[in-house]
Amino acid sequence: MMHLPILPILLPLLAGILLLLLRPLGLQVQRVVGFALAFALLLLAVWLFDVALAGSRQVYALGNWPAPFGITLVFDQLAALMLLVTAVLAVGALWYAIVTETDAQGSHFHVLFQMQLFGLNGAFLTGDAFNLFVFFEVLLLASYSLLLHGGGKNRTVAGLHYVVVNLVGSTVFLFALGALYGALGTLNIADMAAKVAALPAEREGLVMAAGLLLLLVFGLKAAMFPLYLWLPVAYARTSAPVAALFAIMTKVGVYAIIRVHGTVFGADAGSLAYFHAPWLLGLGLTTLVLAALGVLAAFRLRFQVAYLVLASVAMLLIAVGLHSEAGLAAALYYLVHSTLLAGGLFLLADVIVRGRGAYADRFDPGMRLPHHRLLGGLFMFAAVAALGLPPLSGFFGKLWILQAALGHPWRWVVLVTVLLSSALLLIALARSGSVLFYKVKDRPDAADPVLPAQIPAFGPSLVAVLWLLAAIPLLVVLAQPVAGVMQQVAAQTLDASGYRAAVFDPAAGGK
């Protein structure tokens, strides 16, 4: 039990090494082993989440070097929740890649997939800001190759844009860490929180500037305005299973804001307490408006789904920017909903595209799709969930966020922005559904491309879509217990003093 915090990091790391060694045995062996290990990671994540809810934080000192001198892993309820969502998403994305043979379009897909999970899980568990930078680089390195998997001009251009933007972000990350280390003498998150709580007045300006630089970096990872332009192109141009896995990537940035800023600049930070919250709320509202306009203006289905991801990130930024326990609990509920929905939407969009032949994902009226009733029903279901309309989980998530905003000074700005953006999303998705499933031709014109008689691997690929979209009704049916869990996770996350005690007190942290 004392080694629990490191298991979600070790499993994908060793899986990646094993898959690299198994590569000479062929792709089929890599598929079986890779999927089995991804499912094992899911079972581990379920067990860890249950352990986290039943107990206190657990701290793992790598090499047995005590904090703040060594690297610590902190396993708490928030980290366990992120591990679980990532594992569920990974199983669906990997299954889709296998049954559609997307993994055969390039080399080392399964190795890179596991390395991506290694970086993600490490980022969720680390208790050290510099180690967070290292895990960011690991997951970004894997994502660069996965984004380009399969090649092509459009994918290469999007990949280069993605690489350059994130390299700049990594450089700024180092500048911020250097400034914080110079001012505080530590990069351990718990130790930084303790130092900020007793910070001399003459150093507050430097620490605030470094904190804003960190917010800029995490905002870049989360695709926050004005650093969001890389996301629609990158997510729309890559393969569907990679885009589905990338649905968690923007949430890493939001998680980093909650973990680092919420702990270091939380309620105990004196004059710096929640100084970042107005910035976060204002930029989140701006991101939401621009994301809604992007969904409305999108001329292709994949781009529209990418902008929907951006809109979901904006809702999370707004909820976190309210800096309240109710706002954070609502954000966590909406995070689970939006991440799995986005993954399912990317896979569903790819199924639709493969059934449209040369029409691809353009919003041009074409011939009737194979299985059009089933696909149309799934699209409508996902659209209602994305819009936040009753009775699906998106409605509960948005309503909870709006309820949390009622006690905030910006409540009217939040209410008006969220409702107007939802109206724009409704117009856009209604138009898209009409073009794809209603404005269809019964007989092809002479210039129309020939549609495939059947969608390749339709049944198996639909399993992955249903696997991810099944979270939507589950979050409705289990809304009350899930809401209770999210409130419990939020309360522990906002307990910065408890976090510090767990890291520095072996008895409190179960070290």
Side-chain angles (χ1 to χ4, degrees):
M1 292 292 289
M2 66 180 295
H3 294 286
L4 279 180
I6 202 170
L7 293 182
I9 298 175
L10 285 180
L11 180 57
L13 174 61
L14 296 176
I17 296 172
L18 177 62
L19 289 168
L20 188 61
L21 296 175
L22 291 177
R23 191 166 181 265
L25 298 181
L27 183 59
Q28 195 60 39
V29 173
Q30 291 184 74
R31 286 172 171 171
V32 173
V33 175
F35 186 78
L37 291 170
F39 198 79
L41 182 62
L42 172 60
L43 296 179
L44 175 64
V46 172
W47 178 48
L48 291 176
F49 188 62
D50 182 63
V51 170
L53 291 180
S56 59
R57 297 177 178 90
Q58 297 191 39
V59 178
Y60 193 87
L62 291 171
N64 206 27
W65 288 93
F69 308 106
I71 296 171
T72 56
L73 303 178
V74 182
F75 172 67
D76 63 359
Q77 294 172 6
L78 177 60
L81 176 65
M82 300 303 295
L83 292 173
L84 180 59
V85 173
T86 303
V88 172
L89 189 66
V91 167
L94 187 57
W95 173 265
Y96 191 91
I98 292 171
V99 299
T100 59
E101 299 187 351
T102 305
D103 59 341
Q105 297 175 2
S107 301
H108 301 297
F109 178 87
H110 292 276
V111 176
L112 293 167
F113 195 92
Q114 295 293 337
M115 289 298 101
Q116 180 83 45
L117 296 178
F118 165 60
L120 287 167
N121 291 352
F124 295 140
L125 286 167
T126 186
D128 183 271
F130 187 80
N131 201 228
L132 179 63
F133 166 79
V134 172
F135 278 118
F136 268 21
E137 294 309 299
V138 171
L139 67 91
L140 287 173
L141 183 63
S143 69
Y144 297 154
S145 300
L146 286 174
L147 182 65
L148 295 170
H149 183 78
K153 178 183 176 181
N154 291 333
R155 195 167 293 178
T156 302
V157 171
L160 289 174
H161 186 194
Y162 177 77
V163 169
V164 170
V165 168
N166 279 283
L167 285 176
V168 173
S170 298
T171 306
V172 177
F173 199 168
L174 284 176
F175 290 163
L177 292 179
L180 283 172
Y181 188 77
L184 303 175
T186 182
L187 289 177
N188 180 281
I189 295 174
D191 200 30
M192 283 197 296
K195 295 290 179 64
V196 169
L199 190 68
E202 62 269 16
R203 291 193 179 183
E204 287 183 356
L206 176 60
V207 173
M208 181 183 290
L212 288 175
L213 276 180
L214 273 185
L215 186 65
L216 183 72
V217 173
F218 298 152
L220 171 64
K221 309 300 181 186
M224 180 176 70
F225 173 83
L227 305 170
Y228 70 93
L229 293 175
W230 60 269
L231 185 147
V233 177
Y235 281 38
R237 296 298 188 192
T238 191
S239 61
V242 172
L245 181 63
F246 279 14
I248 195 66
M249 292 280 283
T250 51
K251 311 309 188 294
V252 177
V254 177
Y255 168 85
I257 293 171
I258 296 171
R259 175 66 76 201
V260 178
H261 287 78
T263 304
V264 177
F265 304 108
D268 300 330
S271 60
L272 294 181
Y274 300 112
F275 81 92
H276 61 284
W279 292 89
L280 195 61
L281 184 55
L283 293 173
L285 291 167
T286 307
T287 306
L288 181 59
V289 172
L290 294 175
L293 292 174
V295 173
L296 189 63
F299 57 94
R300 289 178 177 270
L301 179 58
R302 287 192 176 111
F303 276 90
Q304 190 168 72
V305 176
Y307 275 107
L308 285 173
V309 172
L310 187 60
S312 70
V313 170
M315 288 298 302
L316 293 176
L317 294 173
I318 292 169
V320 175
L322 298 173
H323 65 86
S324 66
E325 185 177 319
L328 182 56
L332 296 177
Y333 182 93
Y334 197 80
L335 184 148
V336 177
H337 153 84
S338 61
T339 302
L340 299 180
L341 173 63
L345 267 172
F346 275 118
L347 300 185
L348 177 61
D350 191 65
V351 174
I352 294 171
V353 168
R354 288 189 292 119
R356 298 192 84 216
Y359 290 109
D361 63 339
R362 298 191 309 273
F363 287 135
D364 294 332
M367 295 297 297
R368 195 180 303 277
L369 281 168
H371 312 286
H372 62 278
R373 290 187 178 89
L374 177 57
L375 292 176
L378 285 174
F379 181 84
M380 181 178 177
F381 174 84
V384 170
L387 289 169
L389 296 178
L392 300 183
S393 55
F395 171 74
F396 289 97
K398 279 192 176 181
L399 184 63
W400 197 356
I401 293 172
L402 293 177
Q403 185 179 19
L406 292 179
H408 195 275
W410 292 24
R411 54 186 173 274
W412 289 112
V413 179
V414 174
L415 289 171
V416 171
T417 304
V418 171
L419 294 177
L420 286 180
S421 64
S422 298
L424 293 177
L425 296 180
L426 175 61
I427 295 170
L429 291 174
R431 183 188 62 190
S432 304
S434 297
V435 171
L436 293 173
F437 299 104
Y438 290 100
K439 294 180 180 179
V440 293
K441 306 173 185 177
D442 293 323
R443 295 181 180 179
D445 299 330
D448 284 337
V450 178
L451 290 174
Q454 291 294 329
I455 300 173
F458 176 73
S461 60
L462 206 62
V463 171
V465 177
L466 295 175
W467 166 264
L468 296 178
L469 294 185
I472 307 305
L474 283 177
L475 286 172
V476 175
V477 174
L478 304 175
Q480 184 172 1
V482 170
V485 169
M486 296 309 169
Q487 289 171 334
Q488 179 182 339
V489 176
Q492 188 190 66
T493 303
L494 292 177
D495 181 17
S497 59
Y499 184 91
R500 295 197 302 269
V503 172
F504 291 109
D505 182 3
K511 191 181 299 182

